């Protein structure tokens, strides 16, 4: 009976570990050109006379039906990077990457490279 209980506990342990690994979160970001009707807590950023909205690492511009996903405008700056960025070195220079967008730090801001 003790062996059966031990086998049951060990199998329960492995099943719980397997279920934890199966619950990974994979974030999918919308592609450029996709139109959405709502953005979660966007930050309004003006750059070269145009207004852009930034939310969770994605750049948007106003559209007649809501917001359209756009490429990150080169040279635009933000105060904070989104969660999940990584530090990378390109040609000896330090950059910060999030969703294939490179940012460089300059005077307290992060600028799209």
């Amino acid at each position: 009976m003790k062996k059966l209980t031990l086998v049951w506990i060990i199998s329960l342990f492995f099943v719980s570990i397997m279920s934890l690994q199966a619950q990974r979160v994979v974030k999918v970001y919308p592609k450029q050109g996709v139109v959405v009707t709502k953005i979660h807590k966007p930050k309004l950023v003006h750059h070269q006379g145009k207004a852009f909205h930034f939310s969770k690492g994605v750049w948007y511009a106003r559209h007649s039906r809501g917001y359209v996903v756009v490429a990150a405008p080169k040279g635009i700056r933000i105060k904070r990077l989104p969660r999940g960025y990584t530090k990378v070195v390109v040609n000896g220079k330090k950059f910060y990457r999030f969703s294939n967008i490179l940012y460089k730090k300059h005077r307290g801001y992060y600028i799209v490279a």
Side-chain angles (χ1 to χ4, degrees):
M1 189 66 163
K2 287 183 181 181
K3 287 183 180 180
L4 183 60
T5 305
L6 182 60
V7 168
W8 185 80
I9 291 172
I10 290 172
S11 62
L12 183 63
F13 174 75
F14 282 113
V15 167
S16 64
I17 287 178
M18 298 285 272
S19 68
L20 286 175
Q21 290 177 345
Q23 295 177 5
R24 290 186 193 153
V25 175
V26 177
K27 293 192 178 197
V28 178
Y29 297 97
K31 293 183 179 182
Q32 290 179 30
V34 171
V35 177
V36 296
T37 56
K38 292 183 181 179
I39 306 173
H40 181 72
K41 295 184 181 180
K43 302 288 184 210
L44 181 62
V45 183
H46 293 279
H47 179 66
Q48 296 181 348
K50 296 180 183 175
F52 294 93
H53 302 269
F54 183 69
S55 176
K56 297 185 179 182
V58 180
W59 291 96
Y60 301 89
R62 274 308 250 161
H63 187 272
S64 60
R65 295 185 325 223
Y67 303 91
V68 63
V69 178
V70 296
K74 190 170 183 165
I76 198 166
R77 64 186 196 166
I78 54 175
K79 272 280 201 192
R80 276 193 233 137
L81 291 173
R83 289 184 185 174
Y85 71 87
T86 56
K87 294 179 184 179
V88 295
V89 177
V90 179
N91 295 330
K93 296 180 182 178
K94 185 165 65 170
F95 291 92
Y96 303 85
R97 179 173 49 205
F98 183 82
S99 185
N100 289 329
I101 302 171
L102 287 178
Y103 296 88
K104 60 183 174 181
K105 191 169 186 178
H106 182 70
R107 295 184 183 173
Y109 287 92
Y110 296 93
I111 301 170
V112 173

